[in-house]
Amino acid sequence: MHSLRLLRATLIVFLLIFLSACGGGDEVTVNPNDPVEPEPSGLIITNANGLQTSLDEGNFAINAPGQIVASDTEITYEKLVLDETNQAKNIISDIHTLTPDTLQLSSPMTVTIKIPDDYVLGGQLTIARLSGDSWSSITNSTVSQGFVSAQVNQLGSYAIEMQRTVAFSDVGPTCDANATEQSVRFVHVADMHSRFGYQEQYFSRIKAYYKKALSESPHTLFTDGGDDYEKGTVAEQISQGLASDETVKLMAFDLRVLGNHDYAWGPEKLLEFSQDDNAIVLASNTRFEGENSQNFGGVDFAKVQVGCITLGVFGMTSVPWDELDEPIEDDPIPDFIKQFKMSWKWQQIAQSIVSQYRDDVDYMIMLSHLGKGTDVEIATNVPGIDLVLGGHTHGGEDFIELDNNALIIQPDFYARGVTDLNLVFNTANKALSRYDYQHVDTRTSIEPDEETKLAIDEIMGRYAPDADTEIAISENYPSDFEVAGITALATKHSSSINAALLNPELVQKRWTPGTVTQEDFHKAFYVERQPSNTPGFNSLYQVTVTGTDLNTMIASQPDWFVLKPEEIQVTTNYNVALFKGAALNPDLFFSSVTFNDVKPIAEAWWLLDQYARFRTTQCLHLDTDTQLNACQDVANITIWNFDDPTNPLAPDFGPSVLNYFDPENDGWGPEDTRYETTTALDIADLTDGPSGVMAFTDHSPTEGFKIELNTPANGDFASDGMVSDYTLIMDLYWPSKDSDSYRAIIQTETVDYLEDDADIFIDPSGGYGEATLKSGYFGDTKPETWHRVAFVFYTAPKNGVFEVYIDGELAGVKEFGEIDQRWALNKAVLLFTDNGYETVPGYLNALLYAGRAMTRGEIKSMGAAQQKLTFEQPMRVLNQTIERHYKAAPAIKTNLWIEQRNKFFGNGSQSVNN
C-alpha cells in the first residue's frame, strides 16, 4: 500500500527556552564565524603518548593516542557559547574549537562532548565539524551515558548536532485533481496487549474491519496506539515476545507508536520490533544510543501523502512502571532499557516538531501512547496539532473535540473495539470540512478475517500448542485468597522455599471450576515485566529471613495468605516466597525487616502450570485432594438416544431413570409425545443421517419430563443430600415457529414447581442460560438446526458457576458466584416445564445426565449433534495428554524433577500438597 523512505532532516528551533548553553551565566556570546585570535592553552600532543585531557569542566574531552603527530605539537582550545544562528542549524551544544585546524593527524583521535543536561528535544545526536558556514556530521559518532563521541582526523570546531529521522509514505490512490473533496479515514486501535490467541479472535476481527473499510475508502490508514506486548496470550511468554512481534507485523499497520509495554523484552527484541516492512514506527521521545543507529526503526516524524492531503505524524511514549505496578512519575524518571534514552518533556518535543514541520503538511497528527489527560493537555497547549490518535488510558473508548478544534480519540483496549474516524477535506485549501466518528465493538459486530485467523492459528500452534489444552481440573471456584494459596503450594513444589506470604490482591482473574489451561494460569497472573526487561511485577521471589523476622512479616500483613511450618523457630533462617514488589521493597510492607539473598524464582503462571501437571499425574484435582472423575468409573453417567419406539424412555446405559412428569396422573405423556425418525417427522436429519428422536409438545406446569437421578450427593451441598456438581447434555431442534420466545429447558425445583420459574431457558436469540443479576445467555443457535447443548453446573453457597457448550465448544461461563443451592439437584430434575407456561414444541435426539461436572475435554470429545450420543471415560486419553504436556512444557525455568520423577501414579511417597 505504501512505500517507505528514511532521511535525515534538519531541526529549526525557534524558542531559546528549549535549549540552554552550557557556559557560565555572564559569558559573552561569541559568533564562531568572527575571526578571533585564540589564546594559547598549553595543550601538547606528544609523539610518544598523545594527549588525554578533559576540558570545560568535563563538557569536552580529547583522547589522542601516541604516534599521531610526527613531533610534539602545541594546540589551543577555545569554547564558543551556542548562539541562535547555530541553534537554527541543529546544534545543541557549545562549540569546542581546537587549532591549528590545518594540522593533519596520522591516525584518528576521539573527541567527546557532553549532552546538555536540559536537552529534551529527542532526535539522533552526532558530533559535527564546522566547515565554513555549515556543519558536517561525523558518521562514526556514538552516544553513551550522556556523551557523544567521534573519531576525527583533524582539528577544528566541533559540537553536537541533532537530526530528526523522517519517514515518507504514500497511502492509497494519487490525488484526483478534479475532486473538490477527499476523505481520509482512520481505523485506530491501541493497547491490544497480545490478545491475539483468544477464542474471540479479536485480531482477525479487527483486520476484517480494516479490510472492509479499505474496500469502501481507499484512502484509509490502519493505526496502532502502542502497547502490543504483555497481558495477553501465554504464547508471548513461551516465545519470549516473538509471537507478539510476528502477529503485530502480520496485521500490517500503516502507522504505529511504541508503548511502555513494548520495551518489555529488552534492547534486542525492541530493535526487531521497530523494524516493520509495512508500518512506520513512531518514537519521537526515544533516542537510540546503540552502536548502529540504523538498527532502530523508530522515527521522529512521518510525512504521509494520502491522495491530495499531506499528513504529518509524530509519536510519543509514556513513562515506565515499577515492580509495584505503579507509574514512575517523580524525577529522575529512568529510561526503560539500556541503549534507549527517553525524554519525558512531551510538550516541548511536540512544540518543536510542530514548529519545524507544520508548514510542510496539511494536517498534523500525534500518535500518542500518553493517555487521555496528557493528550488533552498537549493538544490544548501546542497550537497546530489537529488530531490525537491516543492510547494507554484503558478507560474505554472516548472522543473529545477541544475549543481549538483539535480532535482527541481514545480507543477501547485489549482489542475489544475499533475506532473509525473519517475526515473530509476541501481539496482546494486542504481544510477539514467535516468528520464522522464511530466506535465498533470487536466482539459482537465483526466477523473474523479467515486469512488472518489461519495465520494466527499457525503462530499459536508453533509457540503455544497447549495454550488451551486441559492441564488440570479445578473442583471449585477458588477465591483470590485461595488462588494465592494454590500459588504458594505451586512455588513450594518447584523451589526450595519453606514459607510463603502472598498478597491475594495481585490475583488478576480467578479460574472457574472444571478445565484449567495455561491461558487460565496466565490470566490469573498476567505478566507485566516491570521494570522493563525484568521479571513480572507479580512473579515470585525468594528472600531469606530469621524466624523472628518471619513472625513479624506475618503479623504485618494479616490479610495475606500464609504458608509456613507448624512451628517457627526464631533463630532459624527461612526461605520465604513473596511477590516481586514486596520482595524488593520490604520497608513498604514489613516493619523493620530486612532481607538477605533476594532472588527471583519464576513467573507465577509458570509455577501454577508445573504444579497443575503434577497434580493431574497424581489423579487429583488442582484445588482439592478429591480424585479426578476421569480416574473413576462411569456408573454415574446415563444416556438416552430414543431409538426404540416401543420403550422410548429406556436408557442406553446408566443408573438414572427418565419418565414423564405427570403429577396429576392424567396420562398426557404417551398421547402428546411422538418417537419417530427425523424423516417421518419431516425435519432435518442429523449430520450423519436420519435418527430416531423425541417430538415433545408445549407443556403445562404439570407436564414435562423427570429424571430420577440415582447418583450420590456431591459437592458443596452433599451434606444436604443434594447433587451440587452435574452435567446435562441434549441434542435439541427448535422449529422456526415460536423461536422468538423464551423456552424452558431445566427446572430444578421438583416439589414446589408451581411456585418456581424454570432455571435454564433458551432466549429468542438462540442463547442458553438464565438472566440472573450479572449474567445472560450464551451461544447463538439457530432454529431448524440440530445443536448439541451441554450444561455443566458447579453449585456452591458463594462461588457457584455454570458453563454452556454448543456443539462441543464452550459458549460461555456464568462466573459471578450466583449459582447457589437453587440450581443443585435433590434426587430429580425436570425438563421442558415451567410454572409460567413458557414452553413450546421441539425435538430431542439424545440426552445425557452425569452426576458430576464433566470437563471441557470430555464434552469436546462428544462433538456436535449426531445420530448417537456416546461417551467413553477418557482416563487413558487424559494420561496421554498430560504426558504430552510434560514433553511440551515451556522452557522458561529448568526443572530436572520433571524428567526424573516416575510417571502417572507410581510415586506413592511423593507428597501431593507440596
Side-chain angles (χ1 to χ4, degrees):
M1 168 170 287
H2 63 254
S3 59
L4 179 63
R5 297 179 283 124
L6 295 180
L7 59 74
R8 300 286 183 180
T10 58
L11 169 68
I12 301 173
V13 181
F14 74 102
L15 290 178
L16 284 173
I17 61 170
F18 295 151
L19 290 174
S20 301
C22 291
D26 296 327
E27 294 188 59
V28 177
T29 301
V30 179
N31 187 336
N33 297 315
D34 291 341
V36 177
E37 187 68 30
E39 298 285 337
S41 58
L43 299 175
I44 297 175
I45 302 177
T46 69
N47 173 266
N49 299 314
L51 175 66
Q52 294 82 39
T53 186
S54 178
L55 304 166
D56 187 30
E57 300 179 342
N59 291 313
F60 180 71
I62 303 168
N63 188 349
Q67 312 301 317
I68 70 169
V69 291
S71 60
D72 294 357
T73 303
E74 182 177 11
I75 65 173
T76 61
Y77 164 77
E78 184 179 18
K79 183 185 79 171
L80 303 179
V81 177
L82 179 64
D83 60 8
E84 292 183 49
T85 299
N86 285 294
Q87 282 182 344
K89 296 177 180 178
N90 332 354
I91 301 303
I92 71 161
S93 73
D94 292 334
I95 300 156
H96 304 273
T97 301
L98 299 170
T99 54
D101 58 8
T102 57
L103 176 64
Q104 291 292 324
L105 307 175
S106 61
S107 60
M109 74 175 186
T110 302
V111 295
T112 299
I113 304 176
K114 187 178 187 296
I115 300 170
D117 292 335
D118 54 359
Y119 174 70
V120 299
L121 297 181
Q124 301 301 314
L125 303 183
T126 64
I127 299 292
R129 186 178 189 275
L130 184 63
S131 301
D133 293 333
S134 63
W135 291 88
S136 300
S137 294
I138 299 173
T139 58
N140 64 41
S141 300
T142 60
V143 183
S144 178
Q145 298 182 339
F147 291 84
V148 186
S149 300
Q151 290 188 314
V152 300
N153 288 297
Q154 63 185 112
L155 306 187
S157 296
Y158 294 97
I160 300 177
E161 180 184 36
M162 188 272 280
Q163 296 179 327
R164 284 204 168 99
T165 51
V166 180
F168 289 85
S169 176
D170 297 301
V171 174
T174 57
C175 179
D176 181 356
N178 298 318
T180 59
E181 287 188 333
Q182 183 202 299
S183 66
V184 178
R185 188 172 179 181
F186 296 89
V187 174
H188 182 58
V189 294
D191 300 278
M192 297 203 297
H193 286 292
S194 69
R195 298 293 169 117
F196 55 86
Y198 280 35
Q199 183 182 12
E200 294 85 352
Q201 301 171 8
Y202 291 143
F203 276 46
S204 56
R205 293 176 189 272
I206 290 171
K207 188 61 179 286
Y209 188 87
Y210 163 69
K211 284 184 173 181
K212 181 175 182 293
L214 184 63
S215 69
E216 298 168 346
S217 308
H219 293 117
T220 296
L221 287 89
F222 197 14
T223 57
D224 174 9
D227 270 8
D228 294 306
Y229 282 104
E230 301 198 301
K231 298 196 285 187
T233 173
V234 73
E236 176 177 312
Q237 300 306 312
I238 296 173
S239 69
Q240 299 186 358
L242 293 177
S244 295
D245 181 291
E246 290 185 24
T247 307
V248 170
K249 292 174 181 176
L250 171 71
M251 297 295 283
F253 292 103
D254 293 301
L255 298 161
R256 58 183 177 90
V257 68
L258 296 176
N260 54 294
H261 283 277
D262 297 329
Y263 293 76
W265 293 96
E268 291 185 5
K269 291 286 172 44
L270 183 60
L271 288 175
E272 294 174 8
F273 188 57
S274 72
Q275 298 286 348
D276 194 320
D277 292 337
N278 294 287
I280 296 175
V281 180
L282 281 303
S284 304
N285 64 317
T286 304
R287 185 173 71 245
F288 178 58
E289 297 186 349
E291 293 183 0
N292 188 348
S293 62
Q294 300 303 316
N295 291 337
F296 182 48
V299 301
D300 301 290
F301 188 73
K303 290 183 181 179
V304 183
Q305 192 65 40
V306 187
C308 302
I309 308 301
T310 304
L311 305 178
V313 191
F314 63 98
M316 300 283 202
T317 305
S318 59
V319 299
W321 290 50
D322 63 18
E323 69 275 3
L324 298 172
D325 195 30
E326 296 176 353
I328 304 173
E329 297 175 323
D330 296 329
D331 290 330
I333 301 174
D335 300 324
F336 288 105
I337 50 179
K338 65 181 182 179
Q339 299 182 333
F340 290 86
K341 180 67 178 176
M342 307 299 300
S343 173
W344 312 117
K345 304 297 183 181
W346 303 298
Q347 186 165 310
Q348 289 93 321
I349 295 172
Q351 181 68 75
S352 175
I353 290 175
V354 171
S355 299
Q356 180 177 357
Y357 296 111
R358 191 64 182 89
D359 292 341
D360 299 335
V361 302
D362 303 316
Y363 199 74
M364 184 67 75
I365 301 168
M366 181 169 73
L367 188 57
S368 167
H369 193 80
L370 300 178
K372 182 174 71 173
T374 306
D375 290 344
V376 170
E377 181 180 357
I378 293 174
T380 300
N381 296 325
V382 179
I385 297 177
D386 299 302
L387 171 65
V388 180
L389 296 171
H392 187 58
T393 295
H394 286 223
E397 65 91 18
D398 205 352
F399 178 83
I400 302 169
E401 183 171 6
L402 300 180
D403 292 339
N404 63 9
N405 298 321
L407 305 178
I408 298 173
I409 286 172
Q410 189 72 214
D412 207 345
F413 58 103
Y414 290 163
R416 298 185 301 199
V418 175
T419 293
D420 187 340
L421 174 68
N422 189 54
L423 307 176
V424 181
F425 292 90
N426 182 314
T427 55
N429 59 14
K430 309 300 175 65
L432 180 66
S433 300
R434 61 188 183 278
Y435 64 83
D436 297 307
Y437 165 84
Q438 64 173 323
H439 170 73
V440 181
D441 192 317
T442 308
R443 297 163 289 184
T444 60
S445 305
I446 312 167
E447 289 298 317
D449 175 60
E450 188 64 22
E451 181 182 5
T452 305
K453 176 185 178 299
L454 292 174
I456 291 176
D457 287 347
E458 189 277 330
I459 292 172
M460 288 296 298
R462 183 155 33 93
Y463 289 117
D466 286 330
D468 289 309
T469 303
E470 181 178 285
I471 288 177
I473 309 297
S474 181
E475 186 173 26
N476 298 315
Y477 186 9
S479 65
D480 290 347
F481 188 83
E482 291 166 334
V483 171
I486 297 169
T487 306
L489 293 173
T491 307
K492 185 177 181 183
H493 171 76
S494 292
S495 71
S496 60
I497 65 151
N498 41 34
L501 188 56
L502 303 182
N503 182 3
E505 292 181 357
L506 268 67
V507 176
Q508 291 162 300
K509 182 177 176 59
R510 301 143 58 196
W511 57 78
T512 53
T515 295
V516 189
T517 69
Q518 284 182 338
E519 292 285 28
D520 292 319
F521 295 137
H522 187 234
K523 289 174 184 177
F525 294 103
Y526 282 127
V527 176
E528 300 179 61
R529 290 163 60 84
Q530 297 169 183
S532 296
N533 205 27
T534 69
F537 78 85
N538 51 18
S539 61
L540 275 297
Y541 274 59
Q542 175 182 301
V543 304
T544 302
V545 298
T546 66
T548 298
D549 285 344
L550 179 55
N551 283 324
T552 300
M553 293 166 63
I554 294 171
S556 299
Q557 298 294 344
D559 296 328
W560 290 13
F561 178 87
V562 178
L563 176 68
K564 63 181 181 64
E566 290 186 9
E567 293 186 9
I568 298 175
Q569 304 298 320
V570 296
T571 59
T572 300
N573 284 338
Y574 293 91
N575 294 329
V576 184
L578 298 169
F579 286 124
K580 180 180 181 179
L584 301 186
N585 299 274
D587 53 316
L588 296 180
F589 296 92
F590 312 112
S591 176
S592 304
V593 174
T594 58
F595 297 153
N596 296 314
D597 194 25
V598 180
K599 58 185 179 183
I601 299 173
E603 298 290 352
W605 79 265
W606 185 88
L607 294 165
L608 287 166
D609 175 273
Q610 300 304 292
Y611 183 60
R613 297 170 192 271
F614 165 69
R615 296 285 295 184
T616 300
T617 63
Q618 302 304 299
C619 239
L620 295 171
H621 285 87
L622 173 60
D623 55 334
T624 70
D625 287 338
T626 306
Q627 190 180 40
L628 290 175
N629 293 316
C631 302
Q632 303 173 21
D633 59 36
V634 295
N636 59 359
I637 294 177
T638 306
I639 291 179
W640 297 265
N641 274 293
F642 310 113
D643 286 334
D644 182 0
T646 63
N647 192 13
L649 299 183
D652 291 37
F653 65 84
S656 300
V657 176
L658 179 66
N659 281 309
Y660 299 108
F661 176 57
D662 188 10
E664 295 184 348
N665 294 316
D666 60 8
W668 71 269
E671 296 179 6
D672 295 343
T673 310
R674 298 169 60 191
Y675 300 93
E676 298 186 36
T677 66
T678 52
T679 303
L681 293 168
D682 196 24
I683 61 174
D685 292 335
L686 281 296
T687 57
D688 52 350
S691 179
V693 301
M694 170 202 290
F696 57 86
T697 186
D698 51 340
H699 298 140
S700 74
T702 57
E703 297 173 345
F705 296 88
K706 182 178 183 179
I707 302 176
E708 300 288 346
L709 306 181
N710 295 332
T711 56
N714 65 24
D716 290 75
F717 302 109
S719 60
D720 298 319
M722 305 186 77
V723 177
S724 308
D725 305 335
Y726 60 95
T727 304
L728 281 164
I729 301 177
M730 307 175 189
D731 288 351
L732 287 168
Y733 180 100
W734 299 100
S736 294
K737 181 183 179 182
D738 300 322
S739 64
D740 59 348
S741 63
Y742 285 86
R743 289 144 280 169
I745 307 296
I746 299 172
Q747 164 69 288
T748 62
E749 176 56 62
T750 60
V751 177
D752 296 325
Y753 49 87
L754 294 177
E755 308 298 325
D756 195 47
D757 253 352
D759 301 286
I760 294 293
F761 289 85
I762 177 174
D763 71 3
S765 70
Y768 287 83
E770 171 66 26
T772 52
L773 179 62
K774 292 183 179 180
S775 74
Y777 289 79
F778 305 103
D780 182 20
T781 62
K782 306 298 182 186
E784 312 285 347
T785 305
W786 284 103
H787 291 287
R788 183 160 290 174
V789 184
F791 308 92
V792 180
F793 288 85
Y794 302 84
T795 64
K798 293 183 179 179
N799 291 316
V801 308
F802 69 71
E803 301 173 335
V804 175
Y805 297 80
I806 306 296
D807 297 326
E809 299 295 334
L810 180 65
V813 182
K814 167 63 182 76
E815 57 178 305
F816 296 100
E818 301 168 56
I819 306 305
D820 53 21
Q821 192 166 0
R822 167 186 168 185
W823 281 269
L825 304 182
N826 188 5
K827 300 180 181 179
V829 62
L830 304 179
L831 307 179
F832 311 124
T833 186
D834 175 65
N835 70 334
Y837 291 88
E838 291 186 278
T839 62
V840 301
Y843 301 90
L844 181 66
N845 173 67
L847 173 67
L848 178 150
Y849 162 73
R852 64 174 178 86
M854 300 183 79
T855 71
R856 203 167 298 176
E858 290 175 326
I859 292 174
K860 189 177 182 68
S861 72
M862 288 180 274
Q866 301 175 63
Q867 290 174 325
K868 287 281 189 179
L869 173 58
T870 60
F871 175 72
E872 284 187 28
Q873 192 79 336
M875 184 168 66
R876 178 178 298 177
V877 174
L878 175 69
N879 288 345
Q880 292 170 345
T881 300
I882 296 303
E883 182 175 9
R884 181 166 64 87
H885 288 332
Y886 272 103
K887 293 178 181 178
I892 294 176
K893 178 178 180 291
T894 301
N895 192 336
L896 297 178
W897 175 87
I898 294 178
E899 300 175 1
Q900 295 170 352
R901 68 173 305 275
N902 293 327
K903 292 181 181 178
F904 316 130
F905 325 112
N907 192 346
S909 63
Q910 178 72 47
S911 170
V912 296
N913 288 316
N914 61 354

